Amino acid sequence: ELSAHNYKNIETAHIIGLRMPRPNNKVTNRFDDWIVLVVGGQMYGPWKCTTMPGIYYMINPMNENNTCVIHPGQYINCFVRGYHKDYMAIRQCRPIKYYVDANKDGFYDLDENKTQVAIRYTNVHRANPKFESIQVDNYSAGCIVLANPKDFNDMMALTLKRGDGSDKNLYTLTVLNWE
């Protein structure tokens, strides 16, 4: 329930990631989470995803010698349709809050004293383009990644239902911890 966290219910363009618990914050390297899309007041999904980096980037950080994990919260109008590598996805366009993890130990360090607000291009995209992925591996360095390319393609088609369908439409991302 979004109101329990004082988050807004954005009916026009809202991506909601539901982060499932990981015992002892150990990297599972699995698509353990869920994502839904709200456009035009309609909810679509849920689709299997990860909201956490895979083991590859937890051990081999991509940026600033640390790996980022999206901090739970609501990030209003911080994402837009745009390219991730060579295909259309949902791209970060404004700063959001992250946990930063630099010790490469295979556990997510979700330390409130180690956070950063930045643009790190943690996009919403797919894993393998041809088949459903089982392991996250190097598909996520902090991005929200859908396991199944069909689910991702369905979600991206639904994003065109928002507004005039132009790539200038902004999206809100809300990441919630399952409690």
Side-chain angles (χ1 to χ4, degrees), residues 1-34:
E1 178 75 24
L2 296 174
S3 61
H5 297 278
N6 293 319
Y7 295 152
K8 294 180 180 178
N9 185 13
I10 312 294
E11 293 188 358
T12 54
H14 196 171
I15 299 163
I16 302 170
L18 182 59
R19 182 176 287 156
M20 304 307 283
R22 275 118 173 128
N24 302 315
N25 290 329
K26 185 171 182 2
V27 175
T28 63
N29 205 38
R30 300 270 182 198
F31 293 90
D32 297 335
D33 304 319
W34 297 96

Side-chain angles (χ1 to χ4, degrees), residues 67-104:
T67 301
C68 64
V69 175
I70 298 173
H71 193 284
Q74 186 168 64
Y75 305 102
I76 296 174
N77 295 334
C78 290
F79 291 80
V80 66
R81 282 178 52 90
Y83 282 93
H84 175 81
K85 298 186 179 178
D86 61 349
Y87 62 94
M88 190 60 64
I90 303 296
R91 185 168 176 78
Q92 183 186 2
C93 61
R94 294 194 174 123
I96 65 173
K97 186 175 182 180
Y98 299 98
Y99 296 110
V100 291
D101 186 329
N103 62 12
K104 306 174 191 176

